[in-house]
Amino acid sequence: MSTLERMRDWLRGHRLALDAAVAAGVLVAMVAGSFVDPHGSDGTTWSARTPDALSLALMVLAAAALVFRRRAPMKVLAATVGISLVELVTADPRAPVAMSAVVALYTVASSTDRPTTWRVGLLTMTVLTAVAMLAGPLPWYAQDNLGVFAWTGMAAAAGDAVRSRRAFVHAIKERALRAERTREEEARRRVAEERLRIARDLHDVVAHHIALVNVQAGVAAHVMDKRPDQAKEALAHVREASRSALNELRATVGLLRQSGDPEAPTEPAPGLARLDELADTFRNAGLPVEVARSDSGTVLPAAADLAAYRVIQEALTNVRKHAGPGAKAEVSVVRVGPVVEVTVLDNGPGPGTGPDGDAVPGGEYDPGAGEHGADTGPQEGGGHGLLGMRERVTAIGGSCTAGPRYGGGFRVHAILPVKNHATALGDPV
């Protein structure tokens, strides 16, 4: 930091010292000006006149008042104007005591608003100019009298300009701070949305695969003694489901890696292209699944494609967990104009018995608990699967409904837009 910058910072922290220095400078200028005769025979000459003792005392009083110009600008202006009036009426020759009133008027204009500046400035100019013209020893049209009017007017205008510039700079800084806060809030909102999205993916992955592992493990335990071959097959499905769960969890959690981390997920997010593979996992778990599609040639946005896959995955997981033994599921994906409709139906009666003969809790699927229990909060054996589906679909501009079917069973229906908000209007799909 340079010496000038250090001095500037010190003066900003010691305003009274700065005002004292300004007052001393004004006093020197007034004293020097009192010895100058601008109307001499040889032009402007020094030592052509000498101020009397009263003028010197008035100059010292006016300069002393300027020391407090920031603390009480109006009072200092009134004091300097009063001292200037005494000088204008009594002194001959005059000393430039009105210079103190000019500085005080500038301080008032730079520290107040524009209406106050106009009122106080006009009053100061009128009073000083009128007294100088009417009560002084000089003719009313003298150059000194007109100078009082000009200097007071320029002081008011300069002070108002400085105040306007300060307000403009302050507004720019305030706007920049507000923009910075807005960027921080937007960043926090995006982080929260990303966390929610990752939490939904983790829920879908864990719920789907753990449900399959639980079912296959129950089957293996049930037939271990009587049919070991079937138990071995069930355990193979358990291993495959657990491997798939680990792979998807690794890919999802990999999104949280920093940019400099060595490993990053490269496998694309699941979508409707893997629908047959998803259905096979449930068929291997003992749930008959029929798939019907009429969306050939439709390319969904990545978010909509993932949402469709997760909706089907969560719906089939609920069917396998809660529809009871002997239930069947039907999955349909249909393109209808600008949207794709995904429907999952089942004919399950609800709670039943598992492979080991124990009762399977109704949980989310219990019709008495609302739509899979999503509206009634988490209960024993229940969760937030449907609520997560609705949030995921709504986030991309779609809709999702779920409820019991007439005649038994359950129905999950999602409508997903083919175009997202980033697709240009009029672009073909």
Side-chain angles (χ1 to χ4, degrees):
M1 182 180 295
S2 65
T3 304
L4 182 60
E5 292 177 348
R6 285 196 297 268
M7 183 180 298
R8 185 184 305 164
D9 293 339
W10 185 87
L11 290 176
R12 287 176 180 174
H14 300 78
R15 295 297 183 95
L16 189 61
L18 176 61
D19 292 338
V22 172
V26 173
L27 177 60
V28 171
M30 289 190 296
V31 173
S34 64
F35 286 93
V36 177
D37 184 9
H39 307 294
S41 57
D42 297 331
T44 302
T45 57
W46 287 87
S47 302
R49 57 184 183 178
T50 302
D52 54 20
L54 179 60
S55 295
L56 290 175
L58 292 176
M59 285 187 285
V60 172
L61 288 177
L66 291 179
V67 176
F68 308 98
R69 65 189 182 93
R70 294 180 189 268
R71 296 188 177 182
M74 287 295 186
K75 294 180 180 179
V76 171
L77 177 61
T80 54
V81 168
I83 295 173
S84 299
L85 291 177
V86 173
E87 171 67 17
L88 291 174
V89 173
T90 61
D92 188 17
R94 290 177 181 173
V97 180
M99 187 181 299
S100 62
V102 171
V103 176
L105 179 59
Y106 165 82
T107 304
V108 171
S110 63
S111 59
T112 58
D113 53 8
R114 180 163 294 174
T116 302
T117 299
W118 277 99
R119 291 193 296 267
V120 175
L122 287 175
L123 179 61
T124 302
M125 285 189 295
T126 302
V127 171
L128 289 178
T129 304
V131 171
M133 289 182 173
L134 301 177
L138 298 177
W140 67 270
Y141 53 83
Q143 183 179 356
D144 292 351
N145 298 335
L146 299 178
V148 171
F149 176 82
W151 279 106
T152 51
M154 286 189 294
D160 183 71
V162 170
R163 180 198 56 77
S164 299
R165 181 182 180 279
R166 289 174 183 170
F168 177 72
V169 172
H170 178 74
I172 292 178
K173 292 181 178 179
E174 186 68 23
R175 190 180 300 115
L177 291 175
R178 192 181 305 114
E180 184 67 23
R181 288 194 297 268
T182 303
R183 284 195 295 268
E184 292 177 356
E185 293 173 358
E186 178 68 15
R188 286 194 295 268
R189 184 185 66 82
R190 290 181 179 275
V191 168
E193 290 180 352
E194 184 65 13
R195 287 175 177 172
L196 180 59
R197 187 189 67 80
I198 293 175
R200 289 171 181 162
D201 285 342
L202 288 175
H203 169 270
D204 294 340
V205 170
V206 171
H208 165 60
H209 291 288
I210 295 303
L212 296 182
V213 168
N214 181 50
V215 171
Q216 294 294 344
V219 171
H222 185 68
V223 302
M224 180 67 72
D225 297 331
K226 299 179 181 180
R227 286 174 286 179
D229 294 337
Q230 187 175 353
K232 184 182 298 185
E233 182 182 354
L235 292 175
H237 290 311
V238 168
R239 182 175 60 184
E240 183 64 26
S242 61
R243 183 185 297 112
S244 299
L246 288 175
N247 291 335
E248 292 199 36
L249 285 175
R250 186 180 299 111
T252 302
V253 176
L255 297 174
L256 301 177
R257 292 182 181 272
Q258 300 295 327
S259 58
D261 289 345
E263 296 182 1
T266 57
E267 182 180 356
L272 292 179
R274 296 176 55 183
L275 181 56
D276 293 335
E277 179 183 343
L278 177 65
D280 288 338
T281 62
F282 285 98
R283 295 188 186 106
N284 294 332
L287 175 65
V289 179
E290 295 182 3
V291 178
R293 300 186 62 174
S294 63
D295 61 329
S296 59
T298 301
V299 179
L300 287 175
D305 199 24
L306 176 60
Y309 181 88
R310 294 303 187 196
V311 166
I312 297 173
Q313 183 184 55
E314 178 66 24
L316 292 178
T317 300
N318 289 338
V319 174
R320 188 65 188 88
K321 290 169 59 177
H322 308 302
K328 298 181 180 179
E330 299 177 3
V331 178
S332 65
V333 181
V334 181
R335 168 73 182 268
V336 181
V339 299
V340 168
E341 297 187 7
V342 175
T343 307
V344 180
L345 307 174
D346 70 81
N347 61 349
T353 58
D356 56 356
D358 295 333
V360 176
E364 289 184 311
Y365 199 81
D366 186 357
E371 294 183 358
H372 284 221
D375 296 331
T376 59
Q379 301 174 3
E380 182 180 358
H384 294 283
L386 287 180
L387 180 59
M389 282 194 287
R390 289 196 188 97
E391 291 177 348
R392 182 187 292 277
V393 174
T394 303
I396 60 174
S399 62
C400 181
T401 59
R405 297 174 61 192
Y406 179 77
F410 208 81
R411 177 179 181 269
V412 175
H413 182 67
I415 300 177
L416 307 170
V418 175
K419 291 183 180 181
N420 58 17
H421 298 292
T423 305
L425 294 177
D427 290 348
V429 179

